[in-house]
Amino acid sequence: MLEDSRALEVVGISAFDERIYRGVLACPGITVQELVMRSGEGAGRIQASLSRLRAKGLVSRLWGRSPRWTVTNPGTAIRALVRGLQSELDQLTDTADELEAAFRTVGQDAEEGGQFEVLAGPEEQARWYVRLQQEAKEEVLTFDCPPYVLDYHNPLQTDLLRSGVRYRTIYVPEAFDHAGALDEVGSLIKAGEEARVLPRLPFKMAIVDRWRAVMPMHMDPPLTRGVLISGSTMVVALVELFERLWREALPVRPELWQDTPATQKPADAADPACGERAEAEPSGGGPEAAELGPEDRRLLALLAAGLKDDAIARQLGTSPRSLRRRLRHLLDQLNAETRFQAGAQASRRDLV
């Protein structure tokens, strides 16, 4: 006979019973004694298995001088078991909803001291992120970085900004990688969001009214588990961390990302940032704000936002080769070793 299988375990059929079931399926009209010979199991154990299978509608006994067994139509019998299981699951779901309601009621009535709730699955994390924003009265603080639970787009934020809720967001450069990200952030800032950028963040989170926070428990996609924190010293610590990193972050300047037709040039056309002016100025010289053209200012603003080369090239409508030349020149002018340093120095020196 076949080795023990567990395919039917989900509908309450043990591995041994499935083994006996497959034996009957392979030999319609088989007797208990024949099953004993084929399986090597005792007659009592096989008879008990057949009784269980019969109770679930999988086998039936044939009448005759010697009791024989056969299977009923497997498709019909197994689908009936699945429907019964689905009904039980529906009842279990209803019970879970009732228990959750009781849990939340007890939680709301509990003494202050902090509550932690594990959020299983991205949908549950997203649901709480939406709910917390809807409950916000004063302020939402956010670390914005990939990966995202469901979608990077936040349809609630604009309306909440208009209603008076303050949003402060710290982005990482990777948050601007998807198509349309810069335009969307620019629109949010025009609506009132205060946005800054850092090269990296320790994790992602959202804090509402300095009282509740939601965050994933790991940063490896997919974000399968999160945590909801309410009214504890942990929330206070997260707010302090946000404020410290907010002071270190650079403002996002979307008005400098906008393209100016008068300053557009072909991708590899002569550029003051990589032409004669570069030879006239010594390396490491500090440019004044008046010496920077609109394209240089726009490039520095994108550097300050921490965008990668490919994203900057797309925004400027230039080739990666031309962009690299301009970047090398600006890094020398600002005495910077990295692109983010160049953007940071330009921002601090009011060059953008």
Side-chain angles (χ1 to χ4, degrees):
M1 291 180 65
L2 297 173
E3 296 296 327
D4 286 2
S5 171
R6 298 182 181 275
L8 299 180
E9 207 167 42
V10 69
V11 289
I13 308 298
S14 69
F16 176 76
D17 286 355
E18 181 173 346
R19 180 184 171 197
I20 299 303
Y21 172 72
R22 291 178 179 271
V24 178
L25 177 65
C27 299
I30 195 170
T31 66
V32 171
Q33 197 58 39
E34 288 171 333
L35 285 170
V36 168
M37 295 175 60
R38 288 172 177 267
S39 66
E41 301 290 344
R45 189 181 184 196
I46 289 178
Q47 187 64 56
S49 175
L50 290 169
S51 297
R52 290 190 295 268
L53 292 170
R54 185 181 187 183
K56 289 186 174 292
L58 291 172
V59 301
S60 62
R61 181 176 173 179
L62 300 175
W63 295 103
R65 182 175 302 176
S66 177
R68 296 179 179 274
W69 294 86
T70 188
V71 299
T72 58
N73 185 300
T76 301
I78 294 174
R79 289 189 184 95
L81 292 175
V82 170
R83 286 194 296 270
L85 178 63
Q86 184 62 54
S87 177
E88 294 176 3
L89 291 175
D90 291 340
Q91 294 177 12
L92 182 60
T93 300
D94 293 339
T95 302
D97 291 340
E98 294 174 4
L99 293 175
E100 181 182 19
F103 170 79
R104 300 205 186 285
T105 301
V106 171
Q108 291 170 358
D109 295 338
E111 295 182 0
E112 291 188 8
Q115 301 172 37
F116 295 79
E117 179 179 347
V118 175
L119 307 178
E123 292 80 5
E124 183 72 358
Q125 295 176 66
R127 185 175 71 84
W128 268 105
Y129 179 52
V130 170
R131 174 175 172 177
L132 291 186
Q133 289 183 92
Q134 292 171 334
E135 296 175 353
K137 297 295 188 294
E138 297 179 2
E139 185 179 46
V140 178
L141 310 176
T142 305
F143 284 168
D144 189 308
C145 57
Y148 295 97
V149 180
L150 291 178
D151 189 3
Y152 65 85
H153 181 64
N154 183 1
L156 299 175
Q157 185 170 339
T158 300
D159 289 339
L160 289 168
L161 283 166
R162 290 169 180 165
S163 69
V165 176
R166 184 186 186 192
Y167 271 79
R168 285 194 288 158
T169 305
I170 302 178
Y171 294 92
V172 295
E174 291 77 12
F176 305 134
D177 282 350
H178 54 268
L182 295 179
D183 292 337
E184 181 172 355
V185 172
S187 298
L188 291 174
I189 291 175
K190 289 179 181 178
E193 180 187 73
E194 299 168 56
R196 296 190 179 183
V197 63
L198 280 175
R200 63 187 63 85
L201 288 169
F203 44 78
K204 61 192 291 116
M205 69 173 181
I207 306 173
V208 175
D209 293 339
R210 300 178 177 240
W211 174 250
R212 301 178 102 177
V214 61
M215 58 191 298
M217 297 178 70
H218 60 84
M219 291 295 288
D220 299 322
L223 301 178
T224 55
R225 292 170 66 82
V227 62
L228 174 69
I229 312 170
S230 303
S232 73
T233 54
M234 178 65 75
V235 177
V236 175
L238 292 174
V239 171
E240 289 297 321
L241 174 63
F242 179 91
E243 295 293 357
R244 181 172 66 81
L245 294 181
W246 180 260
R247 290 190 293 270
E248 296 176 4
L250 296 174
V252 177
R253 303 282 302 277
E255 70 274 10
L256 298 174
W257 298 343
Q258 304 301 317
D259 210 356
T260 305
T263 64
Q264 289 181 348
K265 292 175 289 297
D268 292 304
D271 192 319
C274 56
E276 288 76 7
R277 195 180 71 187
E279 298 176 359
E281 293 181 355
S283 175
E288 299 298 330
E291 297 176 350
L292 290 176
E295 285 291 294
D296 287 338
R297 290 172 178 271
R298 189 172 178 222
L299 173 54
L300 286 172
L302 294 170
L303 287 174
L307 267 68
K308 298 178 181 178
D309 290 355
D310 290 344
I312 293 176
R314 287 195 300 269
Q315 289 296 317
L316 296 180
T318 188
S319 69
R321 176 172 169 268
S322 179
L323 176 66
R324 285 193 292 270
R325 290 202 305 267
R326 295 175 62 188
L327 285 175
R328 280 197 301 270
H329 174 71
L330 285 175
L331 289 175
D332 290 342
Q333 281 189 298
L334 294 166
N335 194 24
E337 296 182 1
T338 67
R339 295 168 303 163
F340 193 83
Q341 284 181 1
Q345 292 190 32
S347 179
R348 293 183 180 117
R349 291 157 64 175
D350 294 326
L351 297 176
V352 295

